[in-house]
Amino acid sequence: MLKMYYGIEKSGGATLDPCDINGAHFEADTYLSNLIKQRSLTELMDEETKMVTQIRALDSDMQTLVYENYNKFISATDTIRKMKNDFKKMEDEMDHLASNMATITEFSGTISNTLQDRRQHITKLSGVHALLKKLQFLFELPARLNKCIEMKAYSAAVRYYTKAKRILHQYQHMASFQGINEDCNKIIHQLCDHLREQFKDKESSAKDLAQCVDLLLQLNEPAEKLCEEFLSHARQKIDEDLQLLDRQIRLQSGEEIKSEGETAAQAYLATPMDVLEFVDTGCNGFLSNICLVIASYNDMFLSKPQEDENMDAIALKKLVFFVNELMEKYFDYVQRRVRLERETGDNTILVRSLDRFHRRLQAMNKLLPDTDFSRAGTDIVSKAAKDRVYHYLQSLKQHFSDCMTDVRQNLAAPRTVGKHDSNSYLNDLLNNTQTAVVDQIKSVLNNLQAFLDSDITFAMKPYFRGPFCVQGVREGLIVAFLNHVSSTCLEFCEDKDKGSAPPALLLILSKLCIEFEASTISYLLTLTEEQFMMTERFPVTSVTDLCNNAKDAAQKLLNHFVKVQGLSISQMLRKSVETRDWLNTIEPRNVRAVMKRVIEDITAIDAQVGQLYEEGVRKERSSDSSRRTHPHSYMGSAALRKGGQWNYAPSIDNSLMSNIQKLFSEKIEIFSAVEFSKVSVLTGIIKISLKTFLECVRLRTFGRYGLQQIQVDTHYLQLYLWRFVSDENLVQVLLDEIVCSTVHRCLDPAMMEPSVIDLICERG
């Protein structure tokens, strides 16, 4: 059985191998014959040596075992011999005890027989003695109660009264007991008054209050009324804590609070506290006191058995209403104080204060399980974080506005710089603005990371972290600011107050939006998602939408820049056409100054745009020699008119012929969308300018020299404008239309020789 218990034997039973030296069926002869057959001489000698060693070890173990067992046998023999002696003494003592018990039994029987007749009388006398002692206690009760009240041993007085109250009430119809009962009731009323005075004393400790309530409950005072009085008394101290918080909020708001006769401590409290000190004051004062009130209230009213089963529910309801009302005020004060921290730049102190506030509220839930103040506290924390995000959004908007103001001031300031500096001035303004905006956003993100520090309790809560990171920081701050940048840039395209923005600012903003669309937007969103570890899946604004908004704003800004610059040059051309008497003008000898001014302005615009945008794609140009000797189409028609060769088709009007030619020419769209290149921008400005020139010419009537002056001016423009546009044929077509329209509006059309025009333009 032991072998089965220790698992020595297998389930198949004991082995029957006769060669198993450790088995029960071992046979030495068989084992030896097998060993001789199977082993060599060397192996047999080794086996012999091994067996000799084992035999010696077994002999040693056997000797040790025999020696140990021998000692145990000797010890056992001595123990048995000693036990025999002890049992012999015990038998003698048992015989002696039996004789004593018999004697005691005999004496007990004798006493019982002797006192049998007096037992009933003794019992009666004992009852009378106990009754007399009770009566003596009742007669002495009023004096005892007065003595206890004098010594302020209120608990002893209540104990004496509750001990005798039932008997006095039961025998109050007897005259003697009635007097004692009346005296005791008067004394107990005085005791209740003393207890209530101590109950209402502001200096009473929590232990004294608990003792007063316990004694009043033993005296059958209404528990509901005691609950109200206890909470009313407790509220006096708590209201003082709330008044201190309210005073601090008014001090922080800048109100002057005057009070006379202040102590040093009161004067210290009259100085504004930072938000961390404010929260510590609220936690150590208000929350500590209200936790003490809750704990005391539970011990006094909720932890004790009540005669009325509904009393616990009523008492709990009163406590919950009391605590909720005060906590609402406290939450309001904390929220107002936190709101005053909007204008500060650092979040460390604010986050630490919110963390302490959040920790203490979680402890409140354990004291009063029927309430959930942590949710309200989390709402305040989330609202504070949301306010900080909103504050930073406003600061980013203001910073961007300040950057725009700096750019405008730099553009308006007179500059005396070298050629190298002037070629990169706008690019430097752009880089400085972009760097300032990105650095400000990084600084804001670093400040907001204080809300997610590892030692902040609410930082890892999913109900705070997800909305704060995604809806607050990403959407409410970064996306909102990027949308603000796009919308602010678009406002410069409106013909309102911001329509007076300098054209260079429009150019810088358009390039800024292009830079945002190319890399800045994706970089800022990636940086935000990495710093705030956004893993929650919330609906968010895509990078594509933001980039499209920025590109759309850049396109509209560039279009507006072209429009503004084109209208500026157009205004000069319009005034130059409208203020001149083209019928009575003298023979042209020079290019008009306005044309030189137009070329100068366009050259300046070209240099300005070239600082920010690449050259762009141009169509293949003709050589300078062919450009200089290129005959205008109107010259051929004018020569025909001059030579009288128009008579071959007298029935066809000249204007009709011009319109028919336009049908076969490529249509020029004046206000088309501009590409993000210098050539495209200049082409748009020149198209607007020349189109204005053409329309102004159509409204005037010209004489011979007026026509020739237009020839000189257009040829001068053609000599310089071709290098700014993507297709020089576009300039050629518009200038041809201007001259052709002038011919149609001329009373005496006589064209100037091309060689003379070239000479005047070269001299000009």
Side-chain angles (χ1 to χ4, degrees):
M1 292 178 66
L2 288 173
K3 289 180 179 180
M4 291 177 62
Y5 176 76
Y6 287 106
I8 296 175
E9 292 185 350
K10 297 182 180 179
S11 57
T15 178
L16 301 177
D17 186 8
C19 295
D20 184 7
I21 197 169
N22 295 321
H25 302 278
F26 174 71
E27 294 181 3
D29 295 337
T30 306
Y31 174 77
L32 183 60
S33 62
N34 287 338
L35 198 62
I36 292 172
K37 291 178 182 180
Q38 296 174 359
R39 305 291 179 91
S40 63
L41 179 60
T42 305
E43 291 176 345
L44 288 174
M45 293 176 67
D46 293 339
E47 187 70 23
E48 180 187 10
T49 304
K50 181 179 178 182
M51 292 184 68
V52 169
T53 303
Q54 291 178 353
I55 291 170
R56 290 176 179 174
L58 289 174
D59 289 341
S60 176
D61 293 340
M62 183 67 70
Q63 291 176 2
T64 302
L65 185 61
V66 170
Y67 177 73
E68 290 178 353
N69 288 336
Y70 178 74
N71 290 336
K72 291 178 181 179
F73 283 135
I74 293 174
S75 177
T77 303
D78 294 339
T79 302
I80 292 172
R81 186 180 298 109
K82 185 177 179 181
M83 287 176 63
K84 285 182 178 180
N85 296 330
D86 292 342
F87 276 117
K88 186 174 182 181
K89 291 180 180 180
M90 190 178 296
E91 287 177 357
D92 296 338
E93 291 178 356
M94 290 297 294
D95 293 339
H96 183 64
L97 179 61
S99 62
N100 289 338
M101 290 296 295
T103 305
I104 291 171
T105 302
E106 183 179 355
F107 278 114
S108 177
T110 304
I111 292 172
S112 297
N113 293 331
T114 304
L115 298 177
Q116 185 174 5
D117 297 335
R118 300 180 182 179
R119 183 180 300 161
Q120 186 175 3
H121 184 62
I122 292 173
T123 303
K124 185 177 180 180
L125 289 176
S126 177
V128 171
H129 181 265
L131 181 59
L132 290 175
K133 288 184 68 176
K134 291 180 180 179
L135 290 175
Q136 184 180 3
F137 176 79
L138 291 176
F139 286 120
E140 294 177 354
L141 182 59
R144 284 174 179 261
L145 295 177
N146 286 326
K147 187 67 174 176
C148 289
I149 292 176
E150 290 177 4
M151 299 175 62
K152 295 185 178 181
Y154 301 136
S155 57
V158 172
R159 186 172 67 253
Y160 293 151
Y161 177 73
T162 53
K163 185 177 180 181
K165 180 175 63 174
R166 186 176 60 83
I167 298 175
L168 291 175
H169 181 71
Q170 184 177 357
Y171 296 102
Q172 63 181 349
H173 58 279
M174 300 175 64
S176 58
F177 287 99
Q178 184 177 3
I180 296 173
N181 189 28
E182 291 177 355
D183 293 341
C184 290
N185 287 336
K186 292 179 182 179
I187 296 171
I188 291 301
H189 282 305
Q190 295 178 7
L191 176 60
C192 291
D193 294 338
H194 285 293
L195 291 174
R196 290 185 184 279
E197 289 177 2
Q198 185 175 352
F199 185 75
K200 295 178 180 179
D201 187 7
K202 292 183 179 181
E203 303 300 327
S204 298
S205 63
K207 183 178 180 181
D208 295 335
L209 292 177
Q211 184 181 11
C212 290
V213 171
D214 184 38
L215 295 177
L216 289 172
L217 287 175
Q218 292 182 32
L219 295 174
N220 292 331
E221 288 292 321
E224 184 175 355
K225 186 177 180 181
L226 287 176
C227 291
E228 295 175 355
E229 290 182 358
F230 175 78
L231 295 177
S232 176
H233 171 73
R235 181 156 191 161
Q236 295 177 5
K237 289 187 176 181
I238 296 176
D239 283 341
E240 293 178 0
D241 297 328
L242 292 177
Q243 289 173 5
L244 175 61
L245 299 180
D246 180 64
R247 184 180 187 184
Q248 283 297 319
I249 292 174
R250 287 187 289 149
L251 286 172
Q252 191 70 26
S253 301
E255 296 184 19
E256 294 184 1
I257 302 175
K258 297 181 180 180
S259 55
E260 299 178 356
E262 288 185 340
T263 63
Q266 291 172 339
Y268 169 75
L269 295 176
T271 58
M273 303 176 180
D274 60 29
V275 66
L276 181 60
E277 191 175 0
F278 178 87
V279 170
D280 282 341
T281 302
C283 292
N284 298 332
F286 172 80
L287 288 182
S288 296
N289 287 334
I290 203 168
C291 288
L292 183 60
V293 168
I294 294 173
S296 301
Y297 191 91
N298 287 332
D299 294 338
M300 295 177 191
F301 301 105
L302 300 179
S303 301
K304 295 182 179 181
Q306 302 287 345
E307 296 180 359
D308 187 1
E309 297 180 355
N310 298 326
M311 188 58 214
D312 284 344
I314 296 173
L316 180 60
K317 183 177 180 181
K318 288 181 179 295
L319 178 62
V320 171
F321 179 79
F322 170 81
V323 173
N324 286 338
E325 184 180 4
L326 291 174
M327 290 300 292
E328 287 179 3
K329 290 185 177 181
Y330 176 64
F331 288 151
D332 179 63
Y333 288 143
V334 173
Q335 197 164 358
R336 286 166 55 190
R337 181 62 184 85
V338 169
R339 197 178 297 123
L340 295 175
E341 293 294 307
R342 286 182 178 178
E343 302 304 323
T344 59
D346 190 13
N347 293 322
T348 305
I349 296 179
L350 175 62
V351 173
R352 287 176 57 194
S353 62
L354 292 175
D355 181 52
R356 294 186 186 181
F357 170 73
H358 187 266
R359 289 174 189 265
R360 289 298 297 268
L361 287 182
Q362 290 181 333
M364 283 281 295
N365 288 341
K366 298 178 181 179
L367 279 177
L368 202 60
D370 293 338
T371 57
D372 187 10
F373 297 119
S374 60
R375 182 176 296 275
T378 303
D379 292 340
I380 292 177
V381 173
S382 300
K383 183 68 167 56
K386 186 176 180 181
D387 287 344
R388 295 303 297 164
V389 170
Y390 178 77
H391 163 68
Y392 282 125
L393 175 61
Q394 298 306 314
S395 67
L396 286 177
K397 291 180 179 179
Q398 183 60 42
H399 181 263
F400 183 69
S401 177
D402 295 340
C403 290
M404 295 299 97
T405 303
D406 293 341
V407 172
R408 292 185 120 179
Q409 290 176 351
N410 288 324
L411 293 174
R415 298 188 305 277
T416 55
V417 294
K419 183 177 179 181
H420 177 73
D421 294 333
S422 62
N423 289 337
S424 61
Y425 181 68
L426 295 184
N427 194 30
D428 291 341
L429 289 179
L430 171 66
N431 292 333
N432 293 338
T433 302
Q434 185 175 2
T435 303
V437 171
V438 173
D439 289 344
Q440 188 69 12
I441 292 176
K442 289 181 179 179
S443 175
V444 167
L445 292 177
N446 289 333
N447 288 335
L448 286 175
Q449 278 191 302
F451 284 92
L452 300 180
D453 287 343
S454 57
D455 58 340
I456 304 301
T457 53
F458 57 79
M460 295 300 146
K461 302 294 183 183
Y463 50 76
F464 171 81
R465 187 181 187 87
F468 172 72
C469 294
V470 179
Q471 300 173 3
V473 178
R474 188 188 191 277
E475 296 295 311
L477 181 66
I478 304 301
V479 173
F481 175 69
L482 294 175
N483 288 330
H484 170 75
V485 171
S486 299
S487 61
T488 302
C489 292
L490 287 176
E491 290 177 2
F492 286 97
C493 300
E494 300 176 359
D495 295 331
K496 294 180 181 179
D497 297 338
K498 293 189 177 182
S500 60
L505 178 62
L506 300 175
L507 198 62
I508 292 174
L509 290 179
S510 67
K511 185 62 175 178
L512 179 67
C513 291
I514 286 296
E515 294 293 336
F516 270 58
E517 184 263 342
S519 59
T520 306
I521 291 177
S522 59
Y523 167 72
L524 290 176
L525 290 179
T526 303
L527 178 67
T528 304
E529 292 171 357
E530 289 177 354
Q531 287 189 354
F532 290 85
M533 296 179 291
M534 298 180 186
T535 57
E536 293 82 359
R537 299 299 179 186
F538 288 94
V540 295
T541 305
S542 65
V543 179
T544 305
D545 293 340
L546 294 173
C547 291
N548 290 337
N549 292 340
K551 189 173 183 180
D552 182 62
Q555 184 68 63
K556 291 182 178 179
L557 282 166
L558 201 58
N559 292 343
H560 190 62
F561 172 78
V562 170
K563 178 181 176 183
V564 170
Q565 295 288 48
L567 292 179
S568 175
I569 297 175
S570 298
Q571 189 73 6
M572 289 191 300
L573 293 172
R574 184 178 65 83
K575 288 183 179 180
S576 70
V577 174
E578 292 178 351
T579 56
R580 191 179 184 90
D581 185 4
W582 296 100
L583 288 173
N584 301 316
T585 185
I586 62 174
E587 185 176 358
R589 290 291 180 265
N590 290 301
V591 179
R592 286 191 300 151
V594 67
M595 297 303 162
K596 299 178 182 179
R597 176 67 185 275
V598 167
I599 298 301
E600 291 175 357
D601 288 354
I602 290 179
T603 303
I605 294 172
D606 178 74
Q608 201 176 57
V609 177
Q611 296 181 40
L612 298 177
Y613 286 101
E614 300 294 333
E615 181 72 20
V617 180
R618 297 177 185 267
K619 290 187 178 180
E620 185 178 356
R621 301 174 178 177
S622 59
S623 63
D624 289 344
S625 59
S626 63
R627 185 178 298 109
R628 283 184 170 275
T629 60
H630 180 71
H632 294 304
S633 61
Y634 60 80
M635 290 184 180
S637 61
L640 289 174
R641 285 189 64 186
K642 186 176 181 181
Q645 297 182 16
W646 289 81
N647 296 327
Y648 76 94
S651 61
I652 301 178
D653 187 21
N654 292 333
S655 62
L656 179 61
M657 291 295 296
S658 176
N659 291 331
I660 291 174
Q661 289 179 358
K662 290 181 180 179
L663 291 176
F664 295 96
S665 63
E666 184 179 355
K667 183 180 180 182
I668 299 175
E669 187 176 355
I670 303 300
F671 294 97
S672 59
V674 183
E675 297 178 359
F676 298 102
S677 65
K678 184 178 73 171
V679 171
S680 181
V681 171
L682 268 296
T683 301
I685 295 173
I686 292 173
K687 285 194 296 183
I688 295 174
S689 304
L690 295 182
K691 182 65 175 177
T692 303
F693 194 9
L694 174 61
E695 296 301 325
C696 292
V697 166
R698 287 176 177 174
L699 298 177
R700 308 294 292 178
T701 303
F702 296 86
R704 173 183 295 183
Y705 295 136
L707 170 61
Q708 293 178 2
Q709 184 67 56
I710 293 296
Q711 279 186 274
V712 172
D713 292 344
T714 54
H715 185 68
Y716 181 80
L717 292 176
Q718 192 271 335
L719 288 176
Y720 292 97
L721 292 182
W722 65 268
R723 60 174 59 91
F724 299 113
V725 297
S726 59
D727 185 5
E728 62 184 79
N729 290 327
L730 182 145
V731 175
Q732 187 67 51
V733 170
L734 288 174
L735 292 175
D736 283 350
E737 286 191 21
I738 292 172
V739 176
C740 187
S741 180
T742 307
V743 171
H744 293 160
R745 301 293 299 167
C746 183
L747 299 179
D748 183 17
M751 308 298 291
M752 182 177 284
E753 291 297 329
S755 59
V756 178
I757 295 175
D758 288 339
L759 182 61
I760 293 173
C761 291
E762 288 177 359
R763 189 175 58 192

